[in-house]
Amino acid sequence: MVISETTSDVSTQHLPSTFASRYVRTPLPRYKMPDNSIPKEAAYQIISDELMLDGNPRLNLASFVTTWMEPECDKLIMDSVNKNYVDMDEYPVTTELQHRCVNMIGHLFNAPVGEDETAVGVGTVGSSEAIMLAGLAFKRKWQKRRRDQGKPVDKPNIVTGANVQVCWEKFARYFEVELKEVKLSEGYYVMDPEKAVEIVDENTICVAAILGSTLTGEFEDVKKLSELLTEKNKETGWDTPIHVDAASGGFVAPFIYPDIEWDFRLPLVKSINVSGHKYGLVYAGVGWVIWRSKDDLPDELVFHINYLGADQPTFTLNFSKGSSQIIAQYYQLIRLGFEGYKNIMENCRDNASELKKGIERTGRFNVVSKDVGVPLVAFSLKDSSKYSVFDISESLRRFGWIVPAYTMPPNAEHIAVLRVVVREDFSRGLAERLVSDIEKVLCEMDAHTTTPVSTKLAHVSKKDVTEIQKEMALYWRRLVDRNKTSGVC
């Protein structure tokens, strides 16, 4: 979502004509629909010229989202871009491809279904929608159980770590569920299973574990969580389940860490979400949510419609959506197969390892990410007395790199890090170039530290949350001021 802001400066109210009179000479209004049509060539050129100022997606190391696919898949996407997936009767083959994807992913996650059985799941716009659907299923199951016991249903909660993605906060706020977060600590940036189980109570609809933390890429210990929660359920008579947010790690762990038990091999894991547009290797936006069995998805949440020509069951938050990404996901699954995904994930892991070595060789950073997890490298400055990671992040933009800098959640907000996500299209050569550019930035900053930009951040304590927020606000405002027409929410 983008929050648009207009400016009163008259000079910015119009878009200048492109290439003088070659196309059009009359400036276009920036925030109002023009009175007259313009040639298609002019419209294309105007937009194309503005888009040149966007960053290069392949150099956007902040994002987990896929930025490259094969030309054959690009063609499939364009061939199907005019199909509305929700019209299942009109596009039965596309619907069948989604069912195949659900079953392939279900088997990948060790769902307890036979060869001739059908996995239970649905394609979504992304993991955010998938989490909303899974959360609703947990809430309704909990409410029914409580009503059958004659108990109140007005105070549901979910237990998570403070490192969860913002979509969990959205679910909690939108659907009136309390979010009980296990705080982090310095050096331990994922949910502690023991602390999580301690705060589970009779109103907990599920415990959400993350397979691939956004902050450090680390996998949470779902197996230990399951063991501890199983014991607590036996002691209390509760039936608290687990949801695994595998948005980033769901297409990584099965291929290069097959011995880690995190999926439906654990009986308490009732649903799993994964982002097809991350390490599923599809452009944004497609996600998936898979349930252990039909019993874990309440029938009351599934709608049946027939005004598009036939009875069509649907369980989504939105209605219309494109078919392209579902078709692209199917392409990747059959094109690559298990072997292909395994090769790509191993390559990403190896490139992340080489990048980590290069970062460590500078002698200026502490690497806080783990070797086992999503292929990324997160690192903090050893000495922040002269400049901060935010300054480094901003300076790297001169070379085209988009490397995010951020602070850890409570109670580790005094730790600020840079993070590089290693995707399929991030080569060994790009890793070497990034390290070289980081070294250039460090040399430049060492030579100009008489008036550091972010000295306050260098001396923050655990109590200096307000100072950190001010520093981050100033940092992002400088970036937003480069384009006063919009700000990202």
Side-chain angles (χ1 to χ4, degrees), residues 53 63 71 100 123 133 154 168 190 196 215 252 312 324 403 433 438 461 468:
L53 299 176
S63 177
R100 294 178 190 176
L133 300 179
D154 59 330
W168 283 99
V190 293
L215 303 177
V252 175
Q312 299 170 6
S324 298
V403 179
R433 169 60 65 180
I438 289 175
S461 66
I468 294 173

Side-chain angles (χ1 to χ4, degrees), residues 395-411:
S395 294
L396 283 172
R397 286 177 176 262
R398 294 189 291 108
F399 299 93
W401 301 108
I402 300 175
V403 179
Y406 53 89
T407 56
M408 293 295 187
N411 289 340

Side-chain angles (χ1 to χ4, degrees), residues 32-90:
K32 294 182 181 179
M33 185 182 294
D35 293 331
N36 303 311
S37 301
I38 62 174
K40 60 181 183 294
E41 297 87 356
Y44 172 83
Q45 192 67 56
I46 289 170
I47 296 172
S48 178
D49 287 352
E50 286 207 82
L51 290 175
M52 287 193 302
L53 299 176
D54 267 349
N56 184 335
R58 290 187 59 184
L59 298 183
N60 179 9
L61 306 182
S63 177
F64 291 83
V65 176
T66 296
T67 52
W68 179 86
M69 298 188 74
E70 292 175 324
E72 291 78 7
C73 194
D74 288 345
K75 187 177 186 304
L76 279 174
I77 288 173
M78 293 311 300
D79 289 346
S80 57
V81 74
N82 59 349
K83 291 183 181 180
N84 184 2
Y85 170 73
V86 75
D87 197 345
M88 301 176 188
D89 186 56
E90 183 69 21

